[in-house]
């Protein structure tokens, strides 16, 4: 089975919902990939928060992103791998943007990259696409601008703000992105954008009308202390790990583990 590509995503619009999840390590990326139900795995800079325990995504570096992207791409065969370009990796110049996007492909094995925002970012997106690297856009609550927004707040609430996000989505489409993430915007606005652009929208906290949905894996499986209200937890892996650790510790303390079955012996055939 071949990998999902940008054309598959474009063809999905209006035909089937796209599914995207984040992953940052080998075992979870492999599990996600082997379901054959997830179109895109995003190696998100959210790793700064859910893996590194930082308050936001701003300190994540290119080297860290490349490290995690190479692990995830090695673990997968089916899902498209999108590398999330971190803060300051594409803001300084078009040249830096293309070079860093290229690193995601050459060193990380990514199939595409994601950049936040429009405006001055558009020329960088065009140059990256010119270099043959597919780009995913990201609008609404773009976490790398958290200081500008003054917190994790719903975006596009006023008429003017909504209009700006619609125009930004059209500019991204014109620049050639193969999909657009819409994060924390009202469902009505996401629906309008989904109607007005021909590329698929992928929502996170953007209601049910997008062409696809994305969540952070750690929110889905219960591995975070705090989850945003739009995220749905399907299992509580955190609780299972806690139980396993407690049982192991108790068995060690009580001399139950290791038993004969879990030991080597000169008198037992291996
Ligand atoms: O970094 C990330 O995980 C993301 C998703 C929330 C879309 O950008």
């Amino acid at each position: 089975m071949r990998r999902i590509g940008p054309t598959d995503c474009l063809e999905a619009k209006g035909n089937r919902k796209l599914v995207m999840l984040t992953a940052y390590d080998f075992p979870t990326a492999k599990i996600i990939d082997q379901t054959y139900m997830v179109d895109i795995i995003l190696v998100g800079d959210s790793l700064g928060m859910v893996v590194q325990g930082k308050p936001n995504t701003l300190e994540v570096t290119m080297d860290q992103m490349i490290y995690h992207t190479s692990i995830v791409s090695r673990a997968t065969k089916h899902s498209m791998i999108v590398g999330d370009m971190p803060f300051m990796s594409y803001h300084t110049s078009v040249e830096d943007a293309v070079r860093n996007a290229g690193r995601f492909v050459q060193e990380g094995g990514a199939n595409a990259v994601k950049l936040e925002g429009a405006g001055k970012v558009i020329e960088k997106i065009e140059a990256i696409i010119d270099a043959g690297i597919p780009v995913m856009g990201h609008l609404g609550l773009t976490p790398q601008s958290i200081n500008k927004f003054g917190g994790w707040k719903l975006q596009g609430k006023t008429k003017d703000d909504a209009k700006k996000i619609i125009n930004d989505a059209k500019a991204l489409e014109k620049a050639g992105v193969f999909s657009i993430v819409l994060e924390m915007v009202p469902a009505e606005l996401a629906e309008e954008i989904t109607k007005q652009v021909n590329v698929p929208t992928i929502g996170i906290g953007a209601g049910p009308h997008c062409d696809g949905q994305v969540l952070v894996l750690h929110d889905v499986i219960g591995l975070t202390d705090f989850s945003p209200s739009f995220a749905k937890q399907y299992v509580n892996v955190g609780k299972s790990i806690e139980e396993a650790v407690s049982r192991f510790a108790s068995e060690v303390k009580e001399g139950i583990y290791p038993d004969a079955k879990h030991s080597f012996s000169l008198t037992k055939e291996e």
Side-chain angles (χ1 to χ4, degrees):
M1 192 180 254
R2 67 172 178 83
R3 264 197 209 272
I4 300 283
T7 311
D8 300 299
C9 296
L10 288 161
E11 284 172 0
K13 186 162 178 112
N15 293 315
R16 65 176 182 90
K17 292 271 187 185
L18 287 168
V19 180
M20 175 158 116
L21 271 174
T22 64
Y24 320 96
D25 62 55
F26 194 93
T28 58
K30 193 166 179 197
I31 292 167
I32 293 171
D33 193 62
Q34 286 179 347
T35 66
Y36 292 99
M37 292 178 79
V38 177
D39 299 288
I40 304 166
I41 296 180
L42 173 71
V43 186
D45 63 355
S46 51
L47 75 86
M49 300 170 79
V50 299
V51 175
Q52 299 174 337
K54 303 254 172 80
N56 55 49
T57 62
L58 299 178
E59 290 173 36
V60 175
T61 66
M62 266 304 295
D63 285 347
Q64 291 166 354
M65 289 305 302
I66 297 296
Y67 172 78
H68 286 277
T69 306
S70 68
I71 290 169
V72 168
S73 58
R74 195 160 52 246
T76 57
K77 292 188 174 75
H78 169 69
S79 308
M80 178 180 192
I81 306 303
V82 177
D84 207 4
M85 294 194 66
F87 184 54
M88 282 298 133
S89 68
Y90 57 95
H91 303 79
T92 42
S93 68
V94 170
E95 217 178 283
D96 283 350
V98 175
R99 190 177 304 112
N100 284 323
R103 284 193 66 195
F104 270 98
V105 175
Q106 283 193 311
E107 299 172 45
N111 311 116
V113 294
K114 176 167 83 60
L115 283 76
E116 294 184 5
K120 288 195 165 65
V121 178
I122 294 289
E123 58 174 342
K124 282 116 182 183
I125 290 176
E126 284 170 343
I128 293 169
I129 294 172
D130 265 356
I133 302 169
V135 173
M136 172 183 279
H138 187 162
L139 297 173
L141 190 277
T142 44
Q144 292 169 14
S145 302
I146 197 70
N147 287 325
K148 188 175 89 184
F149 295 136
W152 306 92
K153 295 176 185 160
L154 187 69
Q155 300 297 306
K157 283 198 289 186
T158 68
K159 256 196 172 150
D160 283 354
D161 288 349
K163 187 80 200 127
K164 182 178 181 312
I165 298 175
I166 293 172
N167 288 338
D168 284 350
K170 287 181 180 169
L172 286 176
E173 179 185 23
K174 192 156 169 264
V177 300
F178 71 90
S179 56
I180 303 171
V181 169
L182 296 176
E183 180 162 356
M184 275 186 83
V185 297
E188 298 81 354
L189 173 58
E191 184 177 17
E192 191 53 37
I193 295 169
T194 302
K195 279 186 195 149
Q196 291 207 24
V197 296
N198 290 314
V199 294
T201 57
I202 303 180
I204 173 159
H209 307 295
C210 294
D211 298 304
Q213 296 290 328
V214 54
L215 281 177
V216 167
L217 178 73
H218 289 49
D219 291 331
V220 171
I221 64 174
L223 259 187
T224 42
D225 289 341
F226 166 80
S227 279
S229 62
F230 57 75
K232 185 166 173 183
Q233 190 189 101
Y234 289 84
V235 284
N236 195 334
V237 168
K239 192 103 200 98
S240 300
I241 293 175
E242 198 181 307
E243 274 165 26
V245 169
S246 305
R247 283 179 56 199
F248 168 66
S250 300
E251 289 198 1
V252 169
K253 287 175 191 186
E254 289 163 27
I256 297 171
Y257 178 87
D259 53 12
K261 193 176 153 205
H262 297 97
S263 302
F264 298 107
S265 166
L266 289 172
T267 58
K268 191 172 83 175
E269 287 232 343
E270 297 308 330

